[in-house]
Amino acid sequence: MWVRGIFFTQVLEYVKSDLGRTSYELLGKKEENYTPEEKYPFEDFADLLEKIKLIAYGKDDYIAKIARDCMTKEASWKAMFRRMDPANVFSSTQRQEGRQQVADYEALDIAKGHVVIQMAMWTDNRSHQDVWSEFYRGRLVGILELMGRKGTVKLTREFGNDSFTYTIEWS
């Protein structure tokens, strides 16, 4: 399981900008230690997200907000998703396979204005599952925004297992 270094650099830069240098230094990681295209262990990234969640105590949905904001600020995504059909985008996982390998994703229900994606995590670590599911929800919201669509992404954890369901609706 791995994620590209760009996840680390974007998240660390975001925390430094949003929460300040002291919070950034508490994380014990520096963005210059990561190369955007290199692969790094997913566990390291999930541990970083867990620390951020502790530092940002009281800020609801902070992990999702980071992911959304980083997604919408990335120039390559802006050009790619502009005016695309959400049903086509959310029914494929090919774009993300080059950025992360942490779960299986399957589009279960594709209709006009509605897609349901099921994510089955490869890790048994529940806290890592939880922070990644929040992070991924934020990325999905960011994609909707990049396409210029108003909508919602509802996250449901399937009881007793490592599966999560995302219900994405837009107008």
Side-chain angles (χ1 to χ4, degrees), residues 82-150:
R82 186 175 302 140
R83 297 188 199 112
M84 289 186 75
D85 177 15
N88 289 336
V89 171
F90 293 126
S91 63
S92 170
T93 61
Q94 292 175 351
R95 287 173 201 85
Q96 66 195 15
E97 289 174 356
R99 292 228 167 183
Q100 49 92 0
Q101 294 284 311
V102 302
D104 291 318
Y105 302 89
E106 182 180 4
L108 301 176
D109 182 18
I110 304 165
K112 184 174 178 157
H114 174 92
V115 171
V116 174
I117 298 173
Q118 186 166 43
M119 176 181 73
M121 295 292 301
W122 295 345
T123 180
D124 292 333
N125 184 319
R126 289 185 64 89
S127 61
H128 286 180
Q129 291 173 359
D130 290 341
V131 292
W132 178 259
S133 67
E134 291 177 46
F135 187 80
Y136 191 70
R137 180 173 57 87
R139 290 185 65 81
L140 294 173
V141 170
I143 291 169
L144 273 176
E145 290 179 14
L146 288 168
M147 288 185 284
R149 304 300 179 117
K150 295 205 183 288

Side-chain angles (χ1 to χ4, degrees), residues 33-83:
N33 294 342
Y34 298 95
T35 305
E37 291 304 315
E38 284 293 316
K39 296 176 185 176
Y40 297 92
F42 167 72
E43 292 80 13
D44 293 350
F45 186 67
D47 287 343
L48 174 64
L49 293 178
E50 286 178 320
K51 286 180 182 178
I52 292 168
K53 196 168 183 171
L54 287 173
I55 290 171
Y57 180 78
K59 291 188 175 213
D60 292 339
D61 289 336
Y62 194 68
I63 298 299
K65 181 182 180 330
I66 290 172
R68 183 197 74 220
D69 291 353
C70 289
M71 186 81 191
T72 58
K73 290 177 184 173
E74 192 173 335
S76 63
W77 291 132
K78 285 180 182 182
M80 180 183 295
F81 289 119
R82 186 175 302 140
R83 297 188 199 112

Side-chain angles (χ1 to χ4, degrees), residues 142-159:
I143 291 169
L144 273 176
E145 290 179 14
L146 288 168
M147 288 185 284
R149 304 300 179 117
K150 295 205 183 288
T152 60
V153 178
K154 181 182 172 191
L155 168 61
T156 306
R157 182 185 190 101
E158 303 301 322
F159 184 73

